[in-house]
Amino acid sequence: MIDMRLFSSVLLSAATLLPGCDVSKEDTAANPAPGKPSPRTAATAPVMHRPRVPPHVLEIGRTVYQKHCAACHGDKAQGHPQWRIKPANGMWLPPPLNGSGHAWHHPRKWLVAFIKEGSPPGKGTMPAWQGKLSDQEIEAVIYWFQSLWPDKAYFLWRQRDKQP
Ligand code: HEC
């Protein structure tokens, strides 16, 4: 006999986890409170060097970002202050892209596709950039916001997706 109270509380917590991406636990792992390194991160993050992105590519990315993305994602890519709160109308607020959100949970391919296609209908106001930005501009804007990620978030991203 299943304990229904237990069962429904498990369902409830599964449901509250579903809407966003797989958030908080790993955010904390990548961005531990100052002075409190996460044991998991400390144990698993290997020493890696970040690839050097040519300055002119970063400059293109910064320009694209300031012109087309900053109005929603914030001038420092910090996101909307309430981005984590599940919206009553289902429309998510712009998350940070500076490494304190969950953009680093997604492989580069996913990021490119999301930027091209924008929010799924009814999920947010993210515009589709396909046809408005070139592939090079999209690549550059991703490099630019990745340059803001703390090393730990960047390395976990690379490890997770075996990025080149
Ligand atoms: C009109 C507001 C708006 C503009 C302009 C905008 N975004 Fe967004 N963006 C959003 C919202 C809202 C979401 C979350 C929506 C969702 O989940 O569907 C989002 C989500 C994203 C995500 C997914 C992040 C994650 O952690 O899952 C990326 C990447 C992104 N935006 C990049 C960009 C880039 C790059 C630009 C500029 C070229 C841009 N956005 C311009 C509103 C905007």
Side-chain angles (χ1 to χ4, degrees):
M1 163 94 189
I2 302 172
D3 180 333
M4 282 313 285
R5 269 169 318 163
L6 179 65
F7 186 58
S8 53
S9 82
V10 168
L11 271 188
L12 192 68
S13 48
T16 50
L17 283 175
L18 276 179
C21 304
D22 44 341
V23 265
S24 47
K25 254 190 262 153
E26 309 220 27
D27 289 346
T28 324
N31 306 303
K36 290 194 181 165
S38 142
R40 188 177 78 83
T41 312
T44 56
V47 177
M48 282 198 234
H49 298 288
R50 295 174 76 138
R52 186 175 172 279
V53 182
H56 75 275
V57 173
L58 284 181
E59 186 51 28
I60 295 170
R62 194 186 65 81
T63 309
V64 167
Y65 183 86
Q66 294 303 338
K67 188 161 169 206
H68 298 296
C69 323
C72 292
H73 289 278
D75 58 351
K76 299 193 168 59
Q78 72 275 28
H80 188 284
Q82 298 186 328
W83 70 274
R84 279 179 190 273
I85 297 172
K86 184 174 166 24
N89 64 2
M91 299 284 279
W92 290 92
L93 291 166
L97 300 176
N98 65 0
S100 67
H102 47 68
W104 62 273
H105 292 198
H106 305 296
R108 190 191 300 281
K109 264 198 211 143
W110 187 98
L111 293 170
V112 170
F114 194 90
I115 294 169
K116 286 188 172 175
E117 290 161 26
S119 289
K123 297 285 186 194
T125 54
M126 169 76 181
W129 296 96
Q130 176 98 56
K132 298 187 189 136
L133 294 177
S134 67
D135 286 358
Q136 287 75 10
E137 286 173 315
I138 292 175
E139 191 169 89
V141 78
I142 294 173
Y143 278 130
W144 182 77
F145 66 66
Q146 285 188 319
S147 74
L148 308 175
W149 293 0
D151 283 349
K152 279 177 187 157
Y154 185 83
F155 294 150
L156 287 173
W157 171 79
R158 232 170 113 176
Q159 230 180 357
R160 166 184 290 221
D161 297 307
K162 306 205 178 7
Q163 304 287 337

